[in-house]
Amino acid sequence: MGHSRRRTEDRQNLENVPFTDAAWQKAARVSRRQTVITAVCIAAVFIIGIVLYLFIGRAMNKGNERKMTSSNAPWFSITGDGVISSNPDYSGKLPSELVIPMEFDSVGVTAIASDAFAGSSITAVSMPDTITKIGSGAFSDCNSLEKARIGQTPHIGFRAFSGCTSLSEVLISDESNGVRKISSEAFKNCSSLSVSPIGNGTSVIGDEAFSGCESLTGQLDLTGASVVGDKAFYVCTGITGVSMGENLKSVGDSCFYGCTALENVSYAAPSTVIGSYVYSGCTAMRIPSLPSDISEIPEGAFFGCSALEDTGLTDSITSIGAGAYSGCLSLKNAAIPNSVSVIGTGAFSDCTMLQSFSLPSSLTSVSGRMFSGCTSLRSADLSGNVNKIGEGAFSGCSALETAQLSYGITVIEDEAFKDCGSIQRIVIPISVTYIGERAFYACTGITSLEIPQSVTYIGDEAFAQMTSLYTVGLYSSAD
């Protein structure tokens, strides 16, 4: 009783003692600290709970993704050998994010059937590592498809993703090696594609595989490729460079046609064969990209490469194809090595900045329209072993002042020097037997002309519109 009475008195006395401001502040800080600690603990427990829920849920889902059945994924059907496709009897809508299982109805999934999900409205697809081939047209024209995870698939079939205009990423488990074979038109017109399944293990890239993939940018690593097909990267306007490997055998026709940002392609295999129009329209290329031991510049190889400043011709070159350098507006000189014996039609036509050229002694004819439209060309030295000047060879060379024709030339074909208004004098060698129609039409600067007796044929209007001509020496019996 005595102790109890004292505790009560002490408490009453304590309650009668007033708190100071400092005491109140200290009590408030303690209270706030306890509140904060309590809130942090509650938040931590909440976050841990969410993480565990997501982790366990994801693990369960992953397990479910690995094995599916007709009851929980009725939109699938499968063949006995593991080729999966959409179920033709399923009337519902495919899941927006399509997951291909490793196993369906107790059958291991190994491939995706041709046209399996073509034209569907899926936005994403994920495949297991067990897939060995994506069939022809499997996801073609899936316009809403944005992302595809294709596991370790070694082979993408013909037109597998063609026309998937929203597809931006194609991810593979082994990004460095990539897909071994990418068939023709696999990603044709996938205009949003910026991440491709190409790696240093990609050995075959088919015709038009990435044609129209204008969102592919930067440097391409094709060091594992042995074959790159026709139009493989046609009009891929974002590519700036390409690295080729030692196993490369050929690069197809128009492979990089219209790649307006492409500056350089490096070759490790010296004897790689490149196709016609391979770099046509590559307007950013200043220095030619050629294998070191190449023997032929194919037709149209650099057609329209308006920034090209050099031909890149070496002593290994024996022939230059038709239109090979046509429209190279920045090319000022064409020094053609003696190893070249054949130059195709229009090889240097419309090179408007070309000022000079030298022909090899091995060349016996100037092909048709070879220098047509070269409006800055001032002189033409044909004093070698040339015996024929082809049709329109120098037509439209409006700045041409001199043309030295050698003895041995027998044929000057139609329109050979048509509209060469700056030529003031031309000497036709006594070896010439044939002068074609409009051969010197509108050569308005020529004041005198001698036609040797060797000439047996003069075509219609061969010398028409030569408005300054006042002296003609005609020794020929030609009509």
Side-chain angles (χ1 to χ4, degrees):
M1 290 292 292
H3 291 296
S4 176
R5 186 168 52 250
R6 280 198 301 272
R7 283 196 298 271
T8 302
E9 291 173 352
D10 290 341
R11 186 163 53 251
Q12 292 173 346
N13 292 333
L14 183 62
E15 290 173 352
N16 292 330
V17 176
F19 272 100
T20 64
D21 290 342
W24 277 111
Q25 292 173 1
K26 182 176 181 181
R29 285 196 299 270
V30 170
S31 177
R32 284 196 298 270
R33 188 179 299 115
Q34 290 174 342
T35 301
V36 170
I37 291 172
T38 301
V40 169
C41 291
I42 292 172
V45 171
F46 181 72
I47 291 171
I48 290 171
I50 290 176
V51 171
L52 288 173
Y53 174 79
L54 292 175
F55 179 79
I56 294 171
R58 185 176 179 183
M60 292 177 66
N61 287 337
K62 187 172 182 180
N64 292 333
E65 290 170 4
R66 290 176 181 274
K67 296 182 180 181
M68 294 183 184
T69 64
S70 299
S71 59
N72 62 18
W75 47 85
F76 288 133
S77 66
I78 195 167
T79 64
D81 54 358
V83 181
I84 199 167
S85 67
S86 59
N87 185 353
D89 298 325
Y90 178 67
S91 59
K93 188 177 181 181
L94 288 172
S96 177
E97 297 185 1
L98 187 67
V99 177
I100 308 296
M102 291 179 64
E103 184 179 294
F104 184 75
D105 282 349
S106 300
V107 178
V109 179
T110 60
I112 298 175
S114 297
D115 301 315
F117 306 99
S120 66
S121 58
I122 61 173
T123 60
V125 61
S126 178
M127 306 174 200
D129 289 346
T130 55
I131 298 294
T132 58
K133 182 180 179 180
I134 302 172
S136 299
F139 298 94
S140 62
D141 300 317
C142 291
N143 295 327
S144 299
L145 182 62
E146 298 176 358
K147 182 180 290 188
R149 295 182 178 274
I150 60 174
Q152 294 182 355
T153 305
H155 183 191
I156 299 176
F158 172 67
R159 300 192 74 250
F161 293 92
S162 176
C164 295
T165 54
S166 299
L167 184 63
S168 61
E169 295 183 344
V170 179
L171 305 175
I172 188 167
S173 298
D174 190 350
E175 294 181 2
S176 61
N177 279 326
V179 175
R180 287 203 301 272
K181 181 179 180 181
I182 301 174
S183 296
S184 298
E185 301 183 30
F187 296 96
K188 184 178 180 180
N189 293 331
C190 292
S191 55
S192 300
L193 187 67
S194 59
V195 179
S196 78
I198 297 173
N200 55 29
T202 302
S203 60
V204 177
I205 299 175
D207 297 347
E208 300 187 66
F210 294 92
S211 175
C213 293
E214 58 191 35
S215 295
L216 282 179
T217 59
Q219 185 82 16
L220 279 184
D221 181 3
L222 303 183
T223 51
S226 59
V227 176
V228 183
D230 297 346
K231 296 185 178 180
F233 297 94
Y234 186 88
V235 198
C236 291
T237 54
I239 297 173
T240 58
V242 180
S243 298
M244 302 289 195
E246 296 179 350
N247 296 321
L248 186 65
K249 297 177 182 177
S250 64
V251 176
D253 296 345
S254 302
C255 182
F256 299 104
Y257 186 107
C259 294
T260 53
L262 184 63
E263 298 176 359
N264 176 261
V265 177
S266 62
Y267 291 92
S271 300
T272 300
V273 176
I274 61 174
S276 61
Y277 294 91
V278 63
Y279 301 120
S280 179
C282 294
T283 53
M285 184 174 286
R286 296 172 61 247
I287 305 298
S289 295
L290 295 168
S292 58
D293 291 345
I294 191 171
S295 61
E296 177 188 1
I297 305 295
E299 178 180 353
F302 297 98
F303 181 91
C305 293
S306 55
L308 199 73
E309 298 175 354
D310 186 79
T311 62
L313 297 174
T314 64
D315 290 338
S316 67
I317 306 295
T318 59
S319 67
I320 300 172
Y325 295 92
S326 179
C328 293
L329 306 182
S330 299
L331 190 64
K332 294 182 179 180
N333 177 58
I336 303 171
N338 285 327
S339 55
V340 175
S341 58
V342 177
I343 301 177
T345 302
F348 296 93
S349 62
D350 299 316
C351 293
T352 55
M353 294 295 291
L354 188 69
Q355 298 173 5
S356 64
F357 68 87
S358 59
L359 297 180
S361 57
S362 55
L363 196 69
T364 58
S365 67
V366 177
S367 62
R369 305 187 63 81
M370 183 186 288
F371 296 101
S372 173
C374 293
T375 53
S376 296
L377 190 64
R378 294 187 177 277
S379 64
D381 184 357
L382 307 177
S383 60
N385 294 317
V386 172
N387 57 42
K388 184 177 77 170
I389 301 174
E391 181 177 350
F394 295 93
S395 63
C397 293
S398 55
L400 191 67
E401 297 174 351
T402 60
Q404 185 175 351
L405 310 185
S406 65
Y407 178 81
I409 293 175
T410 59
V411 175
I412 301 175
E413 290 195 341
D414 298 351
E415 301 184 1
F417 293 93
K418 180 177 179 287
D419 293 322
C420 293
S422 297
I423 294 181
Q424 296 180 2
R425 185 170 181 269
I426 191 92
V427 176
I428 300 175
I430 61 172
S431 54
V432 172
T433 61
Y434 182 99
I435 299 176
E437 296 179 2
R438 295 177 295 281
F440 295 93
Y441 185 94
C443 289
T444 55
I446 295 177
T447 58
S448 63
L449 181 68
E450 292 186 357
I451 302 173
Q453 62 181 5
S454 57
V455 175
T456 57
Y457 178 83
I458 298 176
D460 293 343
E461 300 184 293
F463 304 102
Q465 300 299 316
M466 296 176 68
T467 54
S468 298
L469 185 65
Y470 66 87
T471 302
V472 178
L474 182 59
Y475 304 98
S476 169
S477 60
D479 295 333

